[in-house]
Coordinates of all heavy atoms in Angstrom, one line a residue:
M202 N 0.9 -1.2 0.0 CA 0.0 0.0 0.0 C 0.8 1.2 0.0 O 1.9 1.3 0.6 CB -0.9 0.0 1.2 CG -1.8 1.2 1.3 SD -3.1 0.8 2.5 CE -3.8 2.4 2.6
T203 N 0.4 2.2 -0.8 CA 1.2 3.5 -0.7 C 1.0 4.2 0.6 O 0.2 3.8 1.5 CB 0.7 4.4 -1.9 OG1 -0.7 4.7 -1.7 CG2 1.0 3.8 -3.1
D204 N 1.8 5.2 0.8 CA 1.6 6.0 2.1 C 0.2 6.5 2.2 O -0.4 6.9 1.3 CB 2.6 7.2 2.0 CG 4.0 6.7 2.1 OD1 4.3 5.7 2.6 OD2 4.9 7.4 1.5
R205 N -0.3 6.4 3.5 CA -1.6 6.9 3.7 C -1.6 8.4 3.8 O -0.6 9.0 4.3 CB -2.1 6.4 5.1 CG -3.5 6.7 5.5 CD -3.9 5.9 6.7 NE -5.2 6.4 7.2 CZ -6.3 5.9 6.8 NH1 -6.4 5.1 5.8 NH2 -7.5 6.5 7.3
V206 N -2.6 9.1 3.4 CA -2.7 10.5 3.4 C -3.9 10.9 4.2 O -4.7 10.0 4.5 CB -2.8 11.1 1.9 CG1 -1.5 10.8 1.2 CG2 -4.1 10.6 1.2
A207 N -4.1 12.2 4.5 CA -5.3 12.6 5.2 C -6.5 12.3 4.4 O -6.5 12.2 3.1 CB -5.2 14.1 5.4
N208 N -7.6 12.0 5.0 CA -8.9 11.6 4.4 C -9.3 12.7 3.3 O -9.8 12.3 2.3 CB -10.0 11.3 5.4 CG -9.6 10.0 6.1 OD1 -9.0 9.1 5.6 ND2 -10.0 10.0 7.4
E209 N -9.2 14.0 3.7 CA -9.5 15.0 2.8 C -8.7 15.0 1.5 O -9.2 15.2 0.4 CB -9.5 16.3 3.4 CG -10.5 16.5 4.6 CD -10.0 15.9 5.9 OE1 -8.8 15.6 6.0 OE2 -10.9 15.7 6.8
T210 N -7.4 14.7 1.7 CA -6.5 14.6 0.5 C -6.9 13.4 -0.3 O -6.9 13.5 -1.6 CB -5.1 14.5 1.0 OG1 -4.7 15.6 1.8 CG2 -4.1 14.4 -0.2
A211 N -7.2 12.3 0.3 CA -7.7 11.1 -0.4 C -8.9 11.3 -1.2 O -9.0 10.9 -2.3 CB -7.9 9.9 0.6
L212 N -9.8 12.1 -0.6 CA -11.1 12.4 -1.3 C -10.8 13.3 -2.5 O -11.3 13.0 -3.6 CB -12.1 13.1 -0.4 CG -13.4 13.5 -1.0 CD1 -14.1 12.4 -1.6 CD2 -14.2 14.2 0.0
T213 N -9.9 14.2 -2.4 CA -9.5 15.1 -3.5 C -8.9 14.3 -4.6 O -9.3 14.4 -5.8 CB -8.5 16.1 -3.1 OG1 -9.1 17.0 -2.1 CG2 -8.1 17.0 -4.2
E214 N -8.0 13.3 -4.3 CA -7.4 12.5 -5.2 C -8.4 11.6 -6.0 O -8.4 11.4 -7.2 CB -6.3 11.6 -4.7 CG -5.1 12.4 -4.2 CD -4.0 11.6 -3.7 OE1 -3.8 10.3 -4.1 OE2 -3.2 12.1 -2.9
V215 N -9.3 11.0 -5.2 CA -10.4 10.2 -5.7 C -11.3 10.9 -6.8 O -11.5 10.4 -7.8 CB -11.3 9.5 -4.6 CG1 -12.6 9.0 -5.2 CG2 -10.5 8.5 -3.9
M216 N -11.6 12.1 -6.4 CA -12.4 13.0 -7.3 C -11.6 13.2 -8.6 O -12.2 13.2 -9.7 CB -12.9 14.3 -6.7 CG -13.8 14.1 -5.5 SD -15.1 12.9 -5.8 CE -16.1 13.8 -7.0
E217 N -10.4 13.4 -8.5 CA -9.6 13.6 -9.7 C -9.5 12.4 -10.6 O -9.6 12.4 -11.7 CB -8.1 14.1 -9.4 CG -8.0 15.4 -8.8 CD -6.6 15.8 -8.2 OE1 -5.7 15.0 -8.1 OE2 -6.5 17.0 -7.7
F218 N -9.4 11.3 -9.9 CA -9.3 9.9 -10.6 C -10.7 9.7 -11.2 O -10.8 9.1 -12.3 CB -9.0 8.8 -9.7 CG -7.5 8.6 -9.3 CD1 -7.1 8.6 -8.0 CD2 -6.5 8.6 -10.4 CE1 -5.7 8.4 -7.8 CE2 -5.2 8.5 -10.1 CZ -4.8 8.4 -8.7
M219 N -11.7 10.1 -10.5 CA -13.1 9.8 -11.2 C -13.3 10.7 -12.4 O -13.9 10.2 -13.4 CB -14.2 10.2 -10.1 CG -14.3 9.4 -8.9 SD -14.9 7.7 -9.2 CE -16.6 8.0 -9.4
A220 N -12.8 11.9 -12.5 CA -12.8 12.8 -13.6 C -12.0 12.2 -14.8 O -12.4 12.4 -15.9 CB -12.4 14.2 -13.3
S221 N -10.9 11.6 -14.4 CA -10.0 11.0 -15.4 C -9.5 9.7 -15.0 O -8.3 9.6 -14.4 CB -8.8 12.0 -15.7 OG -8.0 11.5 -16.7
P222 N -10.2 8.6 -15.1 CA -9.9 7.3 -14.5 C -8.5 6.8 -15.1 O -8.3 6.9 -16.3 CB -11.0 6.4 -15.0 CG -12.2 7.3 -15.3 CD -11.5 8.5 -15.8
P223 N -7.8 6.2 -14.3 CA -6.5 5.7 -14.7 C -6.7 4.3 -15.5 O -7.7 3.7 -15.3 CB -5.7 5.4 -13.3 CG -6.8 5.2 -12.3 CD -7.9 6.1 -12.8
V224 N -5.7 4.0 -16.2 CA -5.7 2.7 -16.9 C -5.6 1.6 -15.9 O -4.9 1.6 -15.0 CB -4.6 2.6 -17.9 CG1 -4.5 1.3 -18.6 CG2 -4.6 3.7 -18.9
K225 N -6.6 0.5 -16.1 CA -6.6 -0.6 -15.2 C -5.3 -1.3 -15.1 O -4.6 -1.4 -16.1 CB -7.7 -1.5 -15.7 CG -8.0 -2.5 -14.6 CD -9.3 -3.2 -14.9 CE -9.6 -4.3 -13.9 NZ -10.9 -4.4 -13.5
D226 N -5.0 -1.8 -13.9 CA -3.8 -2.6 -13.6 C -2.5 -1.8 -13.7 O -1.4 -2.3 -14.1 CB -3.7 -3.9 -14.4 CG -4.9 -4.7 -14.1 OD1 -5.3 -4.8 -13.0 OD2 -5.3 -5.5 -15.1
T227 N -2.5 -0.4 -13.5 CA -1.3 0.4 -13.5 C -1.1 0.8 -12.0 O -2.0 0.7 -11.2 CB -1.5 1.6 -14.4 OG1 -2.6 2.4 -13.9 CG2 -1.7 1.2 -15.8
P228 N 0.0 1.4 -11.7 CA 0.3 1.9 -10.4 C -0.7 2.9 -10.0 O -1.2 3.1 -8.8 CB 1.7 2.5 -10.5 CG 2.4 1.6 -11.6 CD 1.3 1.4 -12.6
E229 N -1.1 3.8 -11.0 CA -2.1 4.8 -10.7 C -3.4 4.2 -10.4 O -4.2 4.7 -9.4 CB -2.3 5.8 -11.9 CG -1.1 6.6 -12.2 CD 0.0 5.9 -12.9 OE1 -0.2 4.9 -13.6 OE2 1.1 6.4 -12.8
D230 N -3.8 3.1 -11.0 CA -5.0 2.4 -10.7 C -5.0 1.8 -9.3 O -6.0 1.9 -8.6 CB -5.3 1.3 -11.7 CG -6.6 0.5 -11.5 OD1 -7.6 1.2 -11.5 OD2 -6.5 -0.7 -11.5
A231 N -3.8 1.3 -8.9 CA -3.7 0.7 -7.5 C -3.9 1.9 -6.6 O -4.6 1.7 -5.5 CB -2.4 0.0 -7.4
R232 N -3.3 3.0 -6.8 CA -3.4 4.2 -5.9 C -4.9 4.6 -5.8 O -5.3 4.9 -4.8 CB -2.5 5.2 -6.4 CG -2.5 6.4 -5.4 CD -1.3 7.4 -5.9 NE -1.7 8.7 -5.5 CZ -1.2 9.8 -6.0 NH1 -0.3 9.7 -7.0 NH2 -1.6 11.0 -5.6
F233 N -5.6 4.6 -7.0 CA -6.9 5.0 -7.0 C -7.8 4.1 -6.1 O -8.5 4.5 -5.3 CB -7.5 4.9 -8.4 CG -8.9 5.2 -8.6 CD1 -9.6 6.1 -7.9 CD2 -9.7 4.4 -9.5 CE1 -10.9 6.4 -8.1 CE2 -11.0 4.6 -9.7 CZ -11.7 5.6 -9.0
G234 N -7.5 2.8 -6.2 CA -8.2 1.8 -5.4 C -7.9 1.9 -3.9 O -8.9 1.9 -3.1
Q235 N -6.7 2.2 -3.6 CA -6.3 2.4 -2.2 C -7.0 3.7 -1.6 O -7.6 3.7 -0.5 CB -4.8 2.6 -2.0 CG -4.1 1.2 -2.3 CD -2.7 1.4 -2.5 OE1 -2.1 2.5 -2.6 NE2 -2.0 0.2 -2.6
R236 N -7.0 4.8 -2.4 CA -7.6 6.0 -1.9 C -9.1 5.9 -1.9 O -9.7 6.4 -1.0 CB -7.2 7.2 -2.8 CG -5.8 7.5 -2.9 CD -5.2 8.0 -1.6 NE -3.9 8.5 -1.7 CZ -2.8 8.0 -1.2 NH1 -2.9 6.9 -0.5 NH2 -1.6 8.5 -1.5
L237 N -9.7 5.1 -2.8 CA -11.2 4.9 -2.8 C -11.6 4.1 -1.6 O -12.5 4.5 -0.9 CB -11.5 4.2 -4.1 CG -12.9 4.0 -4.5 CD1 -13.6 5.4 -4.5 CD2 -13.0 3.4 -5.9
L238 N -10.9 3.1 -1.3 CA -11.2 2.3 -0.1 C -11.0 3.2 1.2 O -11.8 3.1 2.2 CB -10.3 1.0 0.0 CG -10.6 0.0 -1.0 CD1 -9.7 -1.2 -0.8 CD2 -12.1 -0.5 -0.9
Q239 N -10.0 4.0 1.2 CA -9.7 4.9 2.4 C -11.0 5.9 2.5 O -11.5 6.0 3.6 CB -8.5 5.7 2.3 CG -8.2 6.6 3.4 CD -6.9 7.5 3.2 OE1 -6.0 7.1 2.4 NE2 -6.8 8.5 4.0
V240 N -11.4 6.5 1.5 CA -12.5 7.4 1.5 C -13.8 6.7 1.9 O -14.6 7.2 2.8 CB -12.7 8.1 0.1 CG1 -14.0 8.9 0.0 CG2 -11.6 9.0 -0.1
L241 N -14.1 5.5 1.4 CA -15.3 4.8 1.7 C -15.3 4.4 3.2 O -16.3 4.5 3.9 CB -15.5 3.6 0.8 CG -15.8 3.9 -0.7 CD1 -15.8 2.7 -1.5 CD2 -17.2 4.6 -0.7
A242 N -14.1 4.0 3.6 CA -14.0 3.6 5.1 C -14.2 4.7 6.0 O -14.8 4.7 7.0 CB -12.7 2.9 5.3
A243 N -13.6 5.9 5.6 CA -13.7 7.2 6.4 C -15.1 7.7 6.5 O -15.4 8.5 7.3 CB -12.7 8.2 6.0
S244 N -16.0 7.3 5.5 CA -17.3 7.8 5.4 C -18.4 6.9 6.1 O -19.5 7.2 6.1 CB -17.7 8.0 4.0 OG -17.8 6.8 3.3
I245 N -17.9 5.8 6.7 CA -18.8 4.9 7.4 C -19.3 5.5 8.7 O -18.5 6.0 9.5 CB -18.2 3.6 7.6 CG1 -17.9 2.9 6.2 CG2 -19.0 2.6 8.4 CD1 -17.1 1.5 6.3
V246 N -20.5 5.4 9.0 CA -21.1 5.8 10.3 C -21.6 4.5 11.0 O -22.4 3.8 10.4 CB -22.3 6.7 10.1 CG1 -22.8 7.1 11.6 CG2 -21.8 8.0 9.5
D247 N -21.0 4.3 12.1 CA -21.5 3.0 12.9 C -22.6 3.4 13.9 O -22.4 4.4 14.7 CB -20.3 2.4 13.7 CG -19.3 1.7 12.8 OD1 -19.7 1.2 11.7 OD2 -18.1 1.7 13.2
D248 N -23.7 2.8 13.8 CA -24.8 3.0 14.8 C -24.4 2.3 16.0 O -24.0 1.2 16.0 CB -26.1 2.5 14.2 CG -26.5 3.3 13.0 OD1 -26.3 4.5 13.0 OD2 -27.2 2.7 12.1
P249 N -24.6 3.0 17.1 CA -24.4 2.3 18.5 C -25.4 1.2 18.7 O -26.5 1.2 18.2 CB -24.6 3.4 19.5 CG -25.3 4.5 18.8 CD -25.1 4.3 17.4
L250 N -24.9 0.0 19.3 CA -25.7 -1.0 19.6 C -26.8 -0.8 20.6 O -27.9 -1.3 20.6 CB -24.9 -2.3 20.0 CG -24.0 -2.8 18.9 CD1 -23.1 -4.0 19.4 CD2 -24.8 -3.2 17.6
D251 N -26.4 0.0 21.5 CA -27.4 0.4 22.6 C -27.0 1.8 23.1 O -26.1 2.4 22.6 CB -27.5 -0.5 23.8 CG -26.2 -0.7 24.5 OD1 -25.5 0.3 24.7 OD2 -25.9 -1.9 24.8
E252 N -27.8 2.4 23.9 CA -27.6 3.8 24.4 C -26.3 4.0 25.2 O -25.9 5.1 25.3 CB -28.8 4.3 25.1 CG -29.0 3.7 26.5 CD -30.1 2.6 26.6 OE1 -30.6 2.3 25.5 OE2 -30.3 2.1 27.7
D253 N -25.7 2.9 25.7 CA -24.4 3.1 26.4 C -23.2 3.2 25.5 O -22.1 3.5 26.0 CB -24.3 2.0 27.4 CG -25.4 2.0 28.5 OD1 -25.9 3.2 28.8 OD2 -25.7 0.9 29.1
D254 N -23.4 2.7 24.2 CA -22.3 2.7 23.3 C -22.0 4.1 22.8 O -23.0 4.9 22.6 CB -22.6 1.8 22.1 CG -22.5 0.4 22.5 OD1 -21.8 0.0 23.5 OD2 -22.9 -0.5 21.7
P255 N -20.8 4.5 22.7 CA -20.4 5.8 22.1 C -20.9 5.8 20.6 O -21.0 4.9 19.9 CB -19.0 5.9 22.1 CG -18.5 4.5 22.2 CD -19.5 3.6 22.8
V256 N -21.3 7.0 20.2 CA -21.8 7.2 18.8 C -20.5 7.5 17.9 O -19.7 8.3 18.3 CB -22.6 8.4 18.7 CG1 -23.0 8.7 17.3 CG2 -23.9 8.2 19.5
C257 N -20.4 6.7 16.9 CA -19.2 6.8 16.0 C -19.7 7.6 14.8 O -20.6 7.3 14.1 CB -18.8 5.4 15.5 SG -17.5 4.6 16.5
T258 N -19.0 8.7 14.6 CA -19.3 9.6 13.5 C -18.3 9.3 12.4 O -17.2 8.9 12.6 CB -19.4 11.0 13.8 OG1 -18.2 11.5 14.3 CG2 -20.5 11.3 14.8
A259 N -18.7 9.6 11.2 CA -17.8 9.4 10.0 C -16.8 10.5 10.0 O -17.0 11.6 10.4 CB -18.6 9.4 8.7
E260 N -15.6 10.1 9.6 CA -14.5 11.1 9.4 C -14.7 12.0 8.3 O -14.3 13.1 8.2 CB -13.2 10.4 9.3 CG -12.8 9.7 10.7 CD -11.5 8.9 10.5 OE1 -10.6 9.3 9.8 OE2 -11.4 7.8 11.1
L261 N -15.4 11.5 7.2 CA -15.8 12.2 6.0 C -17.3 12.1 5.9 O -17.8 11.0 6.0 CB -15.1 11.6 4.8 CG -13.6 11.9 4.6 CD1 -13.1 11.1 3.3 CD2 -13.3 13.3 4.4
T262 N -17.9 13.2 5.4 CA -19.3 13.2 5.2 C -19.5 13.2 3.7 O -19.1 14.2 3.0 CB -20.0 14.4 5.9 OG1 -19.7 14.3 7.2 CG2 -21.5 14.3 5.6
L263 N -20.1 12.2 3.1 CA -20.4 12.2 1.7 C -21.9 12.1 1.6 O -22.6 11.4 2.3 CB -19.8 10.9 1.1 CG -18.3 10.6 1.3 CD1 -17.9 9.2 0.6 CD2 -17.5 11.7 0.7
D264 N -22.4 12.8 0.5 CA -23.9 12.7 0.3 C -24.1 11.4 -0.4 O -23.2 10.6 -0.8 CB -24.4 13.9 -0.5 CG -23.9 13.9 -1.9 OD1 -23.6 12.9 -2.6 OD2 -23.7 15.0 -2.5
A265 N -25.4 10.9 -0.3 CA -25.7 9.5 -0.8 C -25.4 9.3 -2.2 O -24.9 8.2 -2.6 CB -27.2 9.4 -0.5
D266 N -25.6 10.4 -3.1 CA -25.2 10.2 -4.5 C -23.7 10.0 -4.7 O -23.4 9.1 -5.5 CB -25.7 11.4 -5.3 CG -25.4 11.4 -6.8 OD1 -25.8 10.4 -7.4 OD2 -24.6 12.2 -7.3
L267 N -22.9 10.7 -4.0 CA -21.5 10.6 -4.2 C -21.0 9.2 -3.7 O -20.2 8.6 -4.3 CB -20.7 11.8 -3.6 CG -19.2 11.7 -3.5 CD1 -18.7 11.6 -5.0 CD2 -18.6 12.8 -2.8
R268 N -21.5 8.8 -2.5 CA -21.1 7.6 -1.9 C -21.6 6.5 -2.9 O -20.7 5.5 -3.1 CB -21.8 7.4 -0.6 CG -21.4 6.0 0.0 CD -21.6 6.0 1.5 NE -21.2 4.6 1.9 CZ -20.0 4.3 2.3 NH1 -19.0 5.1 2.3 NH2 -19.7 3.1 2.8
A269 N -22.8 6.5 -3.5 CA -23.1 5.5 -4.4 C -22.2 5.5 -5.6 O -21.9 4.4 -6.1 CB -24.6 5.7 -4.9
R270 N -21.9 6.6 -6.1 CA -21.0 6.6 -7.3 C -19.6 6.0 -7.0 O -19.0 5.3 -7.7 CB -20.7 8.0 -7.8 CG -22.0 8.6 -8.5 CD -21.7 9.9 -9.2 NE -20.5 10.5 -8.7 CZ -20.2 11.8 -8.7 NH1 -21.0 12.6 -9.4 NH2 -19.2 12.4 -8.2
L271 N -19.1 6.3 -5.8 CA -17.8 5.8 -5.4 C -17.9 4.3 -5.1 O -16.9 3.5 -5.5 CB -17.3 6.5 -4.1 CG -17.0 8.0 -4.2 CD1 -16.5 8.6 -2.9 CD2 -16.0 8.3 -5.3
E272 N -18.9 3.9 -4.5 CA -19.1 2.3 -4.4 C -19.2 1.7 -5.7 O -18.6 0.7 -5.9 CB -20.3 2.1 -3.5 CG -20.2 2.5 -2.1 CD -21.5 2.3 -1.3 OE1 -22.6 2.1 -1.8 OE2 -21.4 2.3 0.0
K273 N -19.9 2.3 -6.6 CA -20.0 1.7 -8.0 C -18.6 1.6 -8.6 O -18.3 0.6 -9.2 CB -21.0 2.4 -8.8 CG -21.2 1.9 -10.2 CD -22.2 2.8 -10.9 CE -22.3 2.2 -12.4 NZ -22.9 3.1 -13.3
A274 N -17.9 2.7 -8.6 CA -16.6 2.7 -9.1 C -15.6 1.7 -8.5 O -14.9 1.0 -9.2 CB -15.9 4.1 -9.0
S275 N -15.7 1.5 -7.2 CA -15.0 0.5 -6.5 C -15.3 -0.9 -7.0 O -14.4 -1.7 -7.3 CB -15.2 0.6 -5.0 OG -14.5 -0.4 -4.3
L276 N -16.6 -1.2 -7.1 CA -17.0 -2.6 -7.6 C -16.6 -2.8 -9.1 O -16.2 -3.8 -9.4 CB -18.4 -2.7 -7.4 CG -18.9 -2.8 -5.9 CD1 -20.5 -2.9 -5.8 CD2 -18.3 -4.0 -5.2
E277 N -16.7 -1.7 -9.9 CA -16.4 -1.9 -11.3 C -14.9 -2.1 -11.5 O -14.5 -2.8 -12.4 CB -16.8 -0.6 -12.0 CG -18.3 -0.5 -12.3 CD -18.7 0.8 -12.9 OE1 -17.8 1.7 -13.0 OE2 -19.9 1.0 -13.2
R278 N -14.1 -1.5 -10.6 CA -12.6 -1.6 -10.8 C -12.1 -2.8 -9.8 O -10.9 -2.9 -9.8 CB -12.0 -0.3 -10.5 CG -12.5 0.8 -11.5 CD -11.7 2.0 -11.4 NE -10.4 1.9 -12.0 CZ -10.2 2.0 -13.3 NH1 -11.2 2.1 -14.2 NH2 -8.9 1.9 -13.8
N279 N -13.0 -3.5 -9.3 CA -12.6 -4.7 -8.4 C -11.8 -4.3 -7.2 O -10.9 -5.0 -6.8 CB -11.9 -5.7 -9.2 CG -12.8 -6.4 -10.2 OD1 -13.9 -6.7 -9.9 ND2 -12.3 -6.6 -11.4
H280 N -12.0 -3.0 -6.7 CA -11.4 -2.6 -5.6 C -12.3 -2.8 -4.4 O -13.0 -1.9 -3.9 CB -11.0 -1.1 -5.6 CG -10.1 -0.7 -6.7 ND1 -8.8 -1.3 -6.7 CD2 -10.2 0.1 -7.7 CE1 -8.1 -0.8 -7.8 NE2 -8.9 0.1 -8.4
N281 N -12.4 -4.1 -4.0 CA -13.4 -4.4 -3.1 C -12.8 -5.0 -1.8 O -12.0 -6.0 -2.0 CB -14.5 -5.4 -3.6 CG -15.6 -5.8 -2.7 OD1 -15.7 -5.3 -1.5 ND2 -16.3 -6.8 -3.1
A282 N -13.0 -4.4 -0.7 CA -12.3 -4.9 0.5 C -12.7 -6.3 0.9 O -12.0 -7.0 1.6 CB -12.6 -3.9 1.7
F283 N -13.8 -6.8 0.3 CA -14.3 -8.2 0.7 C -14.0 -9.2 -0.4 O -14.5 -10.3 -0.5 CB -15.8 -8.1 1.0 CG -16.2 -7.3 2.1 CD1 -16.8 -6.1 1.9 CD2 -15.9 -7.7 3.4 CE1 -17.2 -5.3 3.0 CE2 -16.3 -6.9 4.5 CZ -16.9 -5.7 4.3
G284 N -13.1 -8.8 -1.3 CA -12.7 -9.7 -2.4 C -13.9 -10.0 -3.3 O -14.5 -9.1 -3.8
G285 N -14.2 -11.3 -3.5 CA -15.3 -11.7 -4.3 C -16.7 -11.5 -3.7 O -17.7 -11.9 -4.2
Y286 N -16.8 -11.1 -2.4 CA -18.0 -11.0 -1.7 C -18.3 -9.5 -1.6 O -18.1 -8.8 -0.6 CB -17.9 -11.5 -0.3 CG -17.5 -13.0 -0.3 CD1 -16.2 -13.4 -0.2 CD2 -18.4 -14.0 -0.4 CE1 -15.8 -14.7 -0.2 CE2 -18.1 -15.3 -0.4 CZ -16.8 -15.7 -0.3 OH -16.5 -17.0 -0.3
A287 N -19.0 -8.9 -2.7 CA -19.2 -7.5 -2.8 C -20.1 -7.0 -1.6 O -20.0 -5.8 -1.3 CB -19.9 -7.3 -4.1
D288 N -21.0 -7.8 -1.1 CA -21.8 -7.3 0.0 C -21.3 -7.7 1.3 O -22.0 -7.7 2.4 CB -23.3 -7.9 -0.2 CG -23.8 -7.4 -1.5 OD1 -23.6 -6.2 -1.8 OD2 -24.6 -8.1 -2.1
G289 N -20.0 -8.1 1.4 CA -19.4 -8.5 2.7 C -19.6 -10.1 2.9 O -20.3 -10.7 2.2
M290 N -19.0 -10.5 3.9 CA -19.0 -11.9 4.2 C -20.2 -12.4 4.9 O -20.7 -13.5 4.8 CB -17.7 -12.3 4.9 CG -16.5 -12.1 4.2 SD -16.0 -13.3 3.0 CE -15.9 -14.8 4.0
G291 N -20.8 -11.5 5.8 CA -21.8 -11.9 6.6 C -21.5 -13.0 7.7 O -20.3 -13.4 7.8
P292 N -22.5 -13.4 8.4 CA -22.1 -14.4 9.4 C -21.7 -15.8 8.9 O -22.3 -16.2 7.8 CB -23.5 -14.6 10.1 CG -24.3 -13.5 9.7 CD -23.8 -13.0 8.4
T293 N -20.7 -16.3 9.4 CA -20.2 -17.6 8.8 C -20.4 -18.8 9.8 O -20.0 -19.8 9.5 CB -18.7 -17.4 8.4 OG1 -18.0 -17.1 9.6 CG2 -18.6 -16.5 7.3
L294 N -20.9 -18.5 11.0 CA -21.0 -19.6 12.0 C -21.9 -20.7 11.4 O -23.0 -20.5 11.0 CB -21.7 -19.0 13.2 CG -21.8 -20.1 14.4 CD1 -20.5 -20.5 14.8 CD2 -22.6 -19.4 15.5
G295 N -21.3 -21.9 11.3 CA -22.0 -23.1 10.8 C -22.0 -23.2 9.3 O -22.5 -24.2 8.8
G296 N -21.4 -22.2 8.7 CA -21.4 -22.3 7.2 C -20.3 -23.4 6.8 O -19.3 -23.6 7.3
G297 N -20.7 -24.0 5.7 CA -19.8 -25.0 5.1 C -19.5 -26.3 5.9 O -18.5 -26.9 5.8
L298 N -20.4 -26.7 6.8 CA -20.3 -27.8 7.6 C -20.9 -29.1 6.9 O -20.6 -30.1 7.5 CB -20.8 -27.6 9.0 CG -20.2 -26.5 9.9 CD1 -21.0 -26.4 11.2 CD2 -18.7 -26.8 10.0
N299 N -21.6 -28.9 5.9 CA -22.1 -30.0 5.2 C -21.0 -30.9 4.6 O -20.1 -30.4 4.1 CB -23.1 -29.6 4.1 CG -24.3 -28.9 4.7 OD1 -24.7 -29.1 5.8 ND2 -25.0 -28.1 3.8
K300 N -21.2 -32.2 4.7 CA -20.2 -33.1 4.1 C -20.5 -33.5 2.7 O -19.9 -34.4 2.1 CB -20.1 -34.4 4.9 CG -19.6 -34.1 6.3 CD -19.4 -35.3 7.1 CE -18.8 -35.0 8.4 NZ -18.5 -36.2 9.2
E301 N -21.5 -32.8 2.1 CA -22.0 -33.2 0.7 C -21.0 -32.6 -0.3 O -20.4 -31.7 -0.2 CB -23.4 -32.6 0.4 CG -24.3 -33.3 1.4 CD -25.7 -32.6 1.2 OE1 -26.0 -32.0 0.2 OE2 -26.4 -32.6 2.2

């Protein structure tokens, strides 16, 4: 991974890459993917499980349209933190225990 930058800088770079996408499988494409994942991760808001949990706010605030465009770009370019599981892994307890 390249050096991590401030989230605001990463967002600026991502917007530049979105305006002029890099060629796939180049160092610039890899940097785009890293910055894209950083921006998406920084924009996640975790809801507290109960009233005693602290409220986690996003480090970056993205409107719904921009977030959807960034998620789409990430999936299109295969920059997915979950690999082949675009929607995440989900619960795995008991999964794959069949002997069939």
Side-chain angles (χ1 to χ4, degrees):
M202 179 165 172
T203 61
D204 294 327
R205 185 170 170 87
V206 297
N208 291 328
E209 294 80 14
T210 302
L212 179 58
T213 300
E214 289 184 29
V215 164
M216 296 311 295
E217 290 170 1
F218 282 129
M219 293 288 287
S221 179
V224 176
K225 194 167 177 141
D226 297 326
T227 62
E229 291 80 21
D230 182 53
R232 186 168 148 201
F233 175 41
Q235 292 164 352
R236 298 294 191 250
L237 190 54
L238 289 176
Q239 179 180 344
V240 166
L241 289 171
S244 68
I245 294 173
V246 176
D247 287 332
D248 293 326
L250 297 175
D251 61 44
E252 69 259 4
D253 294 333
D254 285 342
V256 175
C257 271
T258 58
E260 295 175 31
L261 285 176
T262 302
L263 305 177
D264 66 34
D266 180 56
L267 177 56
R268 182 162 177 85
R270 288 188 343 197
L271 296 180
E272 287 175 348
K273 181 181 177 192
S275 178
L276 291 174
E277 287 174 352
R278 300 189 75 78
N279 295 319
H280 297 303
N281 181 8
F283 298 107
Y286 301 93
D288 295 324
M290 297 279 299
T293 58
L294 183 62
L298 295 178
N299 293 338
K300 293 185 180 186
E301 299 173 28

